[in-house]
Amino acid sequence: MVDHARARRLGERIKVLAAEALERAVKDPDLGFVTFTDVRVTPDLTHAKIYFTVLGSEDDKQLTIDALERNRGRLRGEIGRQLGVRVTPTIELLLDEIPASAGALAELLAEAKRRDEEVERLAKDAKPAGDADPYLKPKAQED
């Protein structure tokens, strides 16, 4: 029987336990500033995808990714010890690309807003190219 709500709750618990295990058990000097953003657990509770972000340059990110991969077994062991389920899910660590794409999207929205303000400013000072009132009016009837 598949219980999606239980998988979601287990994912939230794994996210907290992974952060605690990273702070307590992993003593790797290459580990940068890591934030676990989301955990997706399969409905059968056997596999968990842990998404994370890293603060820093591309070199810092790569060093941190390598350090996390080296310590994946230690993280799984710490999570399994405190999780309290019969089978500890296997974990897969994935770099979360959403913050980077959200930043790019925010920049595009700011650019669109700036252009809209520029168009509005130009429209305010604009004058019609022809007559001020371009609509045809009926001719006045002469008596």
Side-chain angles (χ1 to χ4, degrees):
M1 183 170 187
V2 176
D3 189 0
H4 293 285
R6 183 172 184 213
R8 224 178 6 262
R9 286 191 315 266
L10 191 66
E12 287 300 315
R13 182 73 179 136
I14 287 173
K15 183 166 63 169
V16 170
L17 291 175
E20 290 174 357
L22 194 64
E23 183 180 332
R24 185 178 51 249
V26 178
K27 305 292 183 196
D28 198 322
D30 292 335
L31 197 61
F33 186 74
V34 177
T35 302
F36 293 114
T37 56
D38 194 19
V39 175
R40 303 283 170 102
V41 180
T42 57
D44 62 356
L45 310 178
T46 59
H47 186 73
K49 292 181 180 180
I50 301 176
Y51 294 91
F52 66 93
T53 59
V54 180
L55 189 64
S57 67
E58 289 300 319
D59 293 336
D60 294 339
K61 285 181 185 179
Q62 192 57 47
L63 285 173
T64 300
I65 291 169
D66 294 341
L68 284 173
E69 283 300 321
R70 282 193 305 269
N71 292 292
R72 183 169 36 166
R74 182 173 287 136
L75 277 174
R76 182 174 184 242
E78 288 290 320
I79 290 169
R81 221 173 270 113
Q82 296 191 7
L83 198 55
V85 293
R86 186 169 48 105
V87 177
T88 302
T90 58
I91 63 172
E92 181 179 359
L93 297 165
L94 301 168
L95 185 63
D96 196 355
E97 298 295 334
I98 290 177
S101 60
L105 185 61
E107 289 175 10
L108 289 173
L109 289 173
E111 176 67 19
K113 183 178 179 183
R114 188 191 62 73
R115 287 183 182 183
D116 286 347
E117 290 169 353
E118 179 71 18
V119 167
E120 184 179 332
R121 186 184 61 77
L122 290 172
K124 189 184 296 183
D125 298 334
K127 294 184 178 156
D131 293 333
D133 188 10
Y135 297 105
L136 293 177
K137 298 199 181 357
K139 294 184 180 181
Q141 293 181 358
E142 294 182 23
D143 293 326

